Amino acid sequence: PIPPVPDTLDTVRAAVALPVLVGSGVGLANVRQLYRASDGLILGEPDFKIDGVWGGPSDEGAYAKAVQLCRG
């Protein structure tokens, strides 16, 4: 999936009075940027699965890394 552009998220946030969550296109390379541009993230892309297998078991280390990146 193509991740959203932070400028687009800014436009959406300005247009609605609801939290804006990103649930597609989130990976370790962009998690921090998208976290800062949104009100929250839904993590489930292949970056967060063991061996990058869609629908496979979760990679707890990748989830922990994402949290570290968002807090940093």
Side-chain angles (χ1 to χ4, degrees):
I2 299 171
V5 178
D7 289 344
T8 301
L9 294 173
D10 291 341
T11 301
V12 172
R13 289 178 81 183
V16 300
L18 299 169
V20 175
L21 305 178
V22 177
S24 183
V26 181
L28 290 173
N30 63 4
V31 69
R32 186 177 194 177
Q33 179 185 33
L34 293 176
Y35 175 75
R36 290 183 173 180
S38 69
D39 294 304
L41 304 173
I42 301 168
L43 303 178
E45 299 291 331
D47 276 7
F48 304 101
K49 301 296 181 182
I50 293 175
D51 296 324
V53 176
W54 185 261
S58 295
D59 182 344
E60 298 300 323
Y63 284 105
K65 177 69 175 173
V67 171
Q68 286 178 333
L69 290 168
C70 290
R71 290 183 177 169

